[in-house]
């Protein structure tokens, strides 16, 4: 391709078929640039979605930790309440 372009630069008259080739190459270049831009946009969207997913995971992990701690406190309180009730039942039975 470079050779063909260099040859065309040297010509004072450019044949019609060579002009058609140049136009074809220019159109191809424009299409390739559009594809590159579209791919870049899609990549940017994907990166944004990935980062958002990471934030969501961190948030959910924090929620999970808080829920687990709260559940552990409830279980501890229930165990204490059960123990108190058992002690009262044993005291009443004596």
């Amino acid at each position: 391709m470079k050779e063909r372009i260099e040859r065309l630069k040297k010509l004072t008259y450019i044949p019609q078929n060579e002009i058609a080739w140049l136009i074809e190459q220019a159109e191809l270049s424009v299409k390739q640039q559009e594809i590159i831009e579209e791919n870049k946009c899609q990549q940017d969207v994907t990166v944004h979605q990935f980062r958002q997913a990471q934030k969501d995971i961190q948030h959910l992990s924090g929620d999970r930790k808080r829920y687990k701690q709260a559940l552990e406190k409830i279980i501890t309180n229930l165990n204490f309440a059960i123990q108190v009730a058992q002690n009262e039942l044993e005291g009443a039975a004596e």
Side-chain angles (χ1 to χ4, degrees):
M1 186 164 153
K2 282 185 179 182
E3 295 164 357
R4 192 168 183 178
I5 292 170
E6 289 302 318
R7 185 173 59 82
L8 288 171
K9 284 180 182 178
K10 294 176 186 174
L11 296 176
T12 56
Y13 165 77
I14 301 176
Q16 191 65 31
N17 65 337
E18 296 295 340
I19 290 175
W21 179 81
L22 284 172
I23 292 170
E24 183 181 302
Q25 294 303 310
E27 290 171 345
L28 180 61
S29 177
V30 168
K31 287 179 185 176
Q32 288 173 339
Q33 190 61 38
E34 288 172 354
I35 290 169
I36 289 169
E37 289 298 319
E38 179 62 28
N39 288 343
K40 186 180 180 322
C41 288
Q42 289 176 359
Q43 182 181 7
D44 290 344
V45 168
T46 301
V47 167
H48 176 73
Q49 289 173 337
F50 179 77
R51 288 185 178 148
Q52 186 61 47
Q54 280 183 319
K55 288 179 183 177
D56 292 345
I57 289 169
Q58 289 173 349
H59 178 73
L60 292 172
S61 294
D63 285 350
R64 182 179 174 268
K65 184 178 179 181
R66 286 188 295 278
Y67 291 143
K68 183 178 177 185
Q69 290 171 344
L71 186 58
E72 287 171 352
K73 287 180 182 179
I74 290 170
I75 290 171
T76 300
N77 290 340
L78 286 173
N79 284 335
F80 178 74
I82 290 169
Q83 188 63 43
V84 168
Q86 285 176 341
N87 290 343
E88 287 179 5
L89 284 175
E90 288 173 5
E94 291 177 4

